[in-house]
Amino acid sequence: MTFTIANIINSIAGVLREGYPDYPVYDSPNQQGTDFPCFFILLTPSTIAAEVDGRFYRDLGIEVIFVQQRNIVNGNAEIQAVQEYLDENLEFFRYSDGGGEPVPLHTYERQATTEDDELHYQFHIRQRVSIPREPNPMMTMEENNVSVKTK
């Protein structure tokens, strides 16, 4: 399975489309042509740390922003409903790289704030990953203690 930021964003967008099929989902801020209500998925500060045997620990910060028209009737109720949906569906979500069977990913440090009639839902995804690499045949031979017998 390939673990990429683009696949994370696509998987989260799939969760949003399941609950709100009529709301567009954007992966970058739009300057013009945004249809409301809508969602934005943004990457927030993230870290990566090296671990043993060529593995890495990725801590990805993600923010889902729900935007609607300002000062609408029942706008706060809609924000609360969206937050409930995100709370229920983003503790674990199905991650897919487009290849095999989706796997559940856990989210951490989920928090929600409301600012200017917008819901900002932030969380982290923490995964250990490795970069595919070619095996080193010489290392394998040395580890097997291969020798040549002479008569």
Side-chain angles (χ1 to χ4, degrees):
M1 174 157 290
T2 304
F3 185 79
T4 65
I5 293 170
N7 289 339
I8 290 283
I9 291 172
N10 289 337
S11 296
I12 294 168
V15 172
L16 297 174
R17 287 186 190 107
E18 283 177 15
Y20 295 90
D22 297 332
Y23 295 4
V25 178
Y26 302 103
D27 63 0
S28 63
N30 288 352
Q31 298 301 317
Q32 298 175 351
T34 302
D35 294 325
F36 297 105
C38 64
F39 292 98
F40 291 92
I41 303 172
L42 305 174
L43 192 63
T44 61
S46 302
T47 60
I48 187 166
E51 292 196 345
V52 297
D53 196 31
R55 289 183 175 84
F56 297 92
Y57 183 74
R58 293 184 78 175
D59 183 353
L60 301 176
I62 305 288
E63 182 171 10
V64 174
I65 304 170
F66 172 68
V67 182
Q68 60 186 347
Q69 293 289 344
R70 299 207 190 291
N71 301 320
I72 62 171
V73 176
N74 294 328
N76 198 39
E78 180 70 7
I79 287 173
Q80 291 170 0
V82 169
Q83 182 177 345
E84 283 292 331
Y85 177 79
L86 295 176
D87 282 340
E88 292 171 7
N89 292 280
L90 285 180
E91 179 178 6
F92 287 92
F93 69 95
R94 291 180 314 279
Y95 173 80
S96 174
D97 65 357
E101 191 70 26
V103 297
L105 281 187
H106 189 269
T107 60
Y108 301 88
E109 297 179 29
R110 294 181 296 148
Q111 62 181 6
T113 58
T114 304
E115 189 176 307
D116 295 330
D117 290 334
E118 297 175 353
L119 174 65
H120 294 259
Y121 195 89
Q122 300 174 333
F123 55 92
H124 286 257
I125 298 169
R126 297 181 178 135
Q127 288 293 303
R128 284 183 172 76
V129 297
S130 62
I131 297 173
R133 57 184 174 186
E134 294 295 321
N136 184 343
M138 191 62 179
M139 178 186 269
T140 305
M141 288 177 65
E142 289 173 358
E143 290 174 358
N144 288 334
N145 296 320
V146 175
S147 61
V148 177
K149 275 188 161 182
T150 58
K151 288 187 181 184

